[in-house]
Each structure stands twice: as structure tokens, then as C-alpha cells.
């Protein structure tokens, strides 16, 4: 398990926390991405997860905010909070 904010921010991502829903959103502006044969510039890679759940949604939005793709994956263990910090599996 790794601390989400520390790792994500070291990689240049922004981490948002929604206390009402227990949702963490990780976003990182990317350069050029080629997906399904099409090039996208200035996209944002996103990951969204909820404390206590094993599911994580991973996606990409284009420069206009339109969704390029989104997939839901199951993590080995659920995200959890320990001493006020959120941890997720490192896989």
C-alpha cells in the first residue's frame, strides 16, 4: 500500500478529496496521446476511487473536457485511510 497524495504529487498530478462521498480524484495533464489511432493533445489522465471500495475508474479527457475513454478496474484491496492519509495498492 502506498500513500496516494505523496506518490501522485511527486509525479506531477493533482489530488482532490470529496469528504461527502469519500472519493479521491487524481488528475495529470499529459502531452500528446495516441489512442485508437487518433492523436489527442493536452489531455488529462484521471483516476477516481472511493474509500472502502476495490474499484478504480481510469480515464482520459481531451483538451475540451470530452471523455476519450474510461475503464473500471478492480484493485487487489480497497483504498483505506490510515492516520488521515489515503492508501491504495501499489500495483
Amino acid at each position: 500500500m502506498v500513500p496516494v497524495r505523496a506518490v501522485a504529487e511527486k509525479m506531477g498530478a493533482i489530488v482532490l478529496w470529496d469528504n461527502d462521498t469519500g472519493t479521491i480524484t487524481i488528475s495529470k495533464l499529459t502531452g500528446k496521446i495516441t489512442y485508437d489511432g487518433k492523436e489527442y493533445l493536452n489531455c488529462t489522465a484521471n483516476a477516481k476511487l472511493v474509500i472502502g471500495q476495490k474499484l478504480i475508474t481510469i480515464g482520459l479527457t481531451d483538451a475540451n473536457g470530452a471523455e476519450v475513454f474510461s475503464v473500471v478496474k478492480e484493485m487487489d484491496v480497497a483504498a483505506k485511510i490510515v492516520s488521515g492519509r489515503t492508501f491504495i495498492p501499489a500495483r
Side-chain angles (χ1 to χ4, degrees), residues 38-70:
K38 187 173 177 185
E39 285 188 355
Y40 298 90
L41 298 175
N42 300 320
C43 295
T44 302
N46 303 293
K48 191 174 278 194
L49 54 119
V50 179
I51 298 300
Q53 295 184 12
K54 287 183 167 185
L55 299 180
I56 184 169
T57 303
I58 302 165
L60 186 70
T61 54
D62 69 14
N64 297 317
E67 185 176 276
V68 175
F69 76 88
S70 180

Side-chain angles (χ1 to χ4, degrees), residues 3-78:
V4 172
R5 185 174 298 276
V7 172
E9 288 180 349
K10 288 275 187 195
M11 296 181 350
I14 295 169
V15 180
L16 301 175
W17 167 250
D18 184 331
N19 197 51
D20 293 336
T21 62
T23 302
I24 300 153
T25 303
I26 305 163
S27 299
K28 180 168 176 33
L29 186 63
T30 64
K32 181 174 75 173
I33 298 282
T34 302
Y35 176 73
D36 206 20
K38 187 173 177 185
E39 285 188 355
Y40 298 90
L41 298 175
N42 300 320
C43 295
T44 302
N46 303 293
K48 191 174 278 194
L49 54 119
V50 179
I51 298 300
Q53 295 184 12
K54 287 183 167 185
L55 299 180
I56 184 169
T57 303
I58 302 165
L60 186 70
T61 54
D62 69 14
N64 297 317
E67 185 176 276
V68 175
F69 76 88
S70 180
V71 295
V72 177
K73 298 286 186 173
E74 186 169 337
M75 300 183 292
D76 292 336
V77 295

